Amino acid sequence: VITDYFPVIEGRYQMFAILQNSVNKEICYYERTIDTKKSNDVKIYGPLLSYEHNPIKQMVYSAFNILGQNIKIDPKRSFGSRDIITSYFSIDRGNKKGPLKIEMDVICEDERNPYKKTHTFTLPAEKNYSVFYKTFEKLNYGNYDLKLRVLSNGKNVLPKEIGKPFEISPVSIVPHP
């Protein structure tokens, strides 16, 4: 794992990485365009679903560091019944004026275990960007959907809802990568 941090200044960047294996001298080349232009549209980044989070006590590598927490993510979004699940997302208001209301629905449509809960967050008018999180109450096993909407004056400002499916296993401990 290779990590590097750099300040983000609006613009378009070309990133190149050349890596060499120290044992048999193989070379790997990676190229990517990174566009950090300011958008006029409201954008949501995430949600990320975490099964564990711990405070960062010292500067060590972690794939996800959010709000001073080391976040553990399962890319398959499969959790055990004992996992404590937290959702993280960030929002950029673009050029939208006034406060923005973010609604996050957690929905299970299984016949045996129907569930729906809406959590609400507010991005104040004076903030352009913020990170939000919510630790869920203990959920029963089943297949769930997490849906995000951004409202301004009661109207959805995103072209579509942002959703992520996830599952809770009836087994208490699920191995994570």
Side-chain angles (χ1 to χ4, degrees), residues 4-103:
D4 195 5
Y5 301 95
F6 56 92
V8 177
I9 300 171
E10 293 175 18
R12 186 176 174 94
Y13 298 91
Q14 197 70 24
M15 182 182 77
F16 301 95
I18 300 174
L19 308 172
Q20 183 176 22
N21 181 325
S22 62
V23 176
N24 55 4
K25 307 298 183 202
E26 294 174 324
I27 292 178
C28 175
Y29 173 79
Y30 179 76
E31 178 179 347
R32 183 169 184 178
T33 301
I34 301 171
D35 193 355
T36 61
K37 293 179 190 164
K38 180 73 172 162
S39 171
N40 293 331
D41 299 329
V42 174
K43 289 194 178 173
I44 287 189
Y45 303 97
L48 295 175
L49 292 170
S50 162
Y51 60 88
E52 182 181 333
H53 54 94
N54 303 306
I56 299 171
K57 295 188 170 113
Q58 59 184 358
M59 194 63 174
V60 294
Y61 175 76
S62 172
F64 295 95
N65 294 320
I66 301 173
L67 298 173
Q69 299 283 316
N70 174 11
I71 309 300
K72 306 268 176 105
I73 304 289
D74 185 334
K76 293 183 179 178
R77 296 184 299 278
S78 181
F79 304 98
S81 60
R82 285 183 29 193
D83 287 332
I84 298 169
I85 303 168
T86 304
S87 172
Y88 295 84
F89 66 93
S90 60
I91 181 167
D92 181 348
R93 80 168 43 258
N95 65 357
K96 200 68 161 164
K97 303 292 183 208
L100 296 176
K101 179 178 168 185
I102 303 100
E103 293 181 344

Side-chain angles (χ1 to χ4, degrees), residues 49 77 79 85 105-110 113-117 136-147 163-169:
L49 292 170
R77 296 184 299 278
F79 304 98
I85 303 168
D105 293 333
V106 181
I107 304 165
C108 180
E109 295 179 354
D110 290 349
N113 183 31
Y115 178 88
K116 182 174 182 183
K117 186 153 192 179
F136 300 150
E137 62 192 41
K138 186 171 174 46
L139 299 171
N140 293 324
Y141 76 90
N143 295 310
Y144 288 81
D145 275 318
L146 178 72
K147 295 184 178 180
K164 292 277 182 175
F166 66 98
E167 68 177 352
I168 308 291
S169 171

